[in-house]
Amino acid sequence: MLRQCGQFATLPALAVQIIEIAEDPSSTWEDLRQVIAIDPAFGARLLKLVNSPFYGLLRPVGTLREALGLLGLRAVKNVAISTSLAKLFRGGKVSAAFNVSELWTHSIAVATAARMLSQSTKVSPDEAFLAGLVHDLGILVELQSRGALFGSMMERLDEEDELTFRCAESSTFQTTHEMLGRSLCELWRFPASLTFTAGFHHRPWELAEAEQALPALIHVADVMAARQNLGYSRTVETRDLKPEMLRLAAIRECDVAAVEVALPEAVHEACRILSN
């Protein structure tokens, strides 16, 4: 299925270059600046992000050098990937209840919730945000590689309320978006933490204990986005957050309650930044 996705399964060159620079200990800020300067639109998006409420700076930042200094290599890498992902989610309606752009809204909502929740955990906010964006990428692999079958599956889901998304996938494709998302992340050479999140966000307890925190965090964020109907949420199989899942994610119920209040406005801001 990945082979039949063509260009979709190829991460854009700019993102690949930025990832390579961010992962290379010998790289300098000047190396990064030169790569980003080739794409003015990406530089503008960086400035937009660093001046947004996401970072809460006391004064506006007007130059790329300042933005790079404030964001750090990891955040710049994540913005590069986020910008690339936004282009993959462009599309219209596939069924009465599924629009590709709504899946992007859901992904942003999960990413935003995860980032906010991570403040009270040991997970990096930038890593949590990117994990939220990539968690449902496998659905796009299905759409790109098996468009007609995917449309039929979505119509079936529209008609059968009790049918779960993963059960529908298994009977249609003999695989799930978790498995496909994990394979795509491996193809893109993403860190293991993101690969595990894409592959196990519905079942983080199946991972080794050391790998459970981020997928569990995304599971919680996934449920929170579904509770507030932020984007396409048919993939979410429960609206309940079990104590065991909160324990795996190292999140308290009071943290969830506080984030839920602020989430809609934060998602609106994130969509404004990432969808333009």
Side-chain angles (χ1 to χ4, degrees):
M1 290 174 75
L2 282 170
R3 283 196 296 269
Q4 292 181 351
C5 284
Q7 275 299 114
F8 168 84
T10 304
L11 200 60
L14 177 65
V16 172
Q17 286 181 290
I18 291 175
I19 291 171
E20 289 176 349
I21 290 172
E23 300 297 329
D24 183 356
S26 66
S27 295
T28 66
W29 285 113
E30 184 58 24
D31 294 330
L32 188 60
R33 190 197 66 76
Q34 288 180 4
V35 169
I36 294 175
I38 297 172
D39 189 340
F42 180 74
R45 189 176 293 276
L46 268 179
L47 287 173
K48 184 178 182 181
L49 177 65
V50 78
N51 285 311
S52 76
F54 262 55
Y55 286 89
L57 301 181
L58 297 177
R59 63 176 181 81
V61 171
T63 69
L64 190 57
R65 184 178 294 277
E66 284 182 288
L68 295 177
L70 286 166
L71 285 174
L73 279 172
R74 175 181 287 179
V76 173
K77 177 185 72 175
N78 291 349
V79 173
I81 296 172
S82 301
T83 303
S84 301
L85 293 180
K87 297 175 182 177
L88 302 182
F89 284 82
R90 290 174 182 167
K93 274 198 169 187
V94 174
S95 74
F98 180 79
N99 189 311
V100 180
S101 64
E102 284 296 301
L103 182 62
W104 179 234
T105 300
H106 170 74
S107 299
I108 291 176
V110 173
T112 304
R115 187 180 192 276
M116 296 168 75
L117 288 168
S118 71
Q119 307 289 345
S120 58
T121 73
K122 294 181 180 179
V123 176
S124 157
D126 289 316
E127 183 180 36
F129 189 81
L130 186 54
L133 288 184
V134 307
H135 81 287
D136 276 343
L137 270 180
I139 297 174
L140 295 185
V141 176
E142 296 169 347
L143 175 59
Q144 291 289 328
S145 65
R146 300 282 195 279
L149 269 180
F150 182 80
S152 298
M153 183 189 78
M154 299 310 294
E155 290 175 1
R156 182 183 170 200
L157 281 163
D158 293 348
E159 296 167 358
E160 301 179 33
D161 291 340
E162 299 303 314
L163 180 66
T164 68
F165 199 90
R166 284 189 296 158
C167 282
E169 289 175 316
S170 294
S171 62
T172 304
F173 305 113
Q174 291 73 58
T175 187
T176 67
H177 67 283
E178 282 186 306
M179 295 300 294
L180 292 167
R182 179 181 179 181
S183 296
L184 185 61
C185 286
E186 288 174 346
L187 180 66
W188 286 347
R189 298 182 182 179
F190 279 0
S193 58
L194 296 181
T195 302
F196 286 139
T197 297
F200 292 89
H201 57 276
H202 287 291
R203 49 203 173 100
W205 55 85
E206 294 185 13
L207 289 165
E209 186 175 351
E211 307 292 350
Q212 291 174 352
L214 185 57
L217 177 67
I218 297 305
H219 180 96
V220 172
D222 211 11
V223 172
M224 292 173 65
R227 281 179 173 180
Q228 301 201 29
N229 297 313
L230 297 168
Y232 182 79
S233 57
R234 188 72 164 80
T235 55
V236 184
E237 298 171 8
T238 179
R239 299 298 189 272
D240 298 322
L241 287 173
K242 297 179 181 179
E244 175 64 12
M245 191 59 66
L246 294 176
R247 185 190 68 77
L248 291 181
I251 298 170
R252 300 169 299 175
E253 288 187 14
C254 60
D255 297 325
V256 172
V259 169
E260 280 189 319
V261 172
L263 186 58
E265 184 176 347
V267 170
H268 176 76
E269 175 63 21
C271 285
R272 185 183 69 80
I273 295 168
L274 292 175
S275 298
N276 290 340

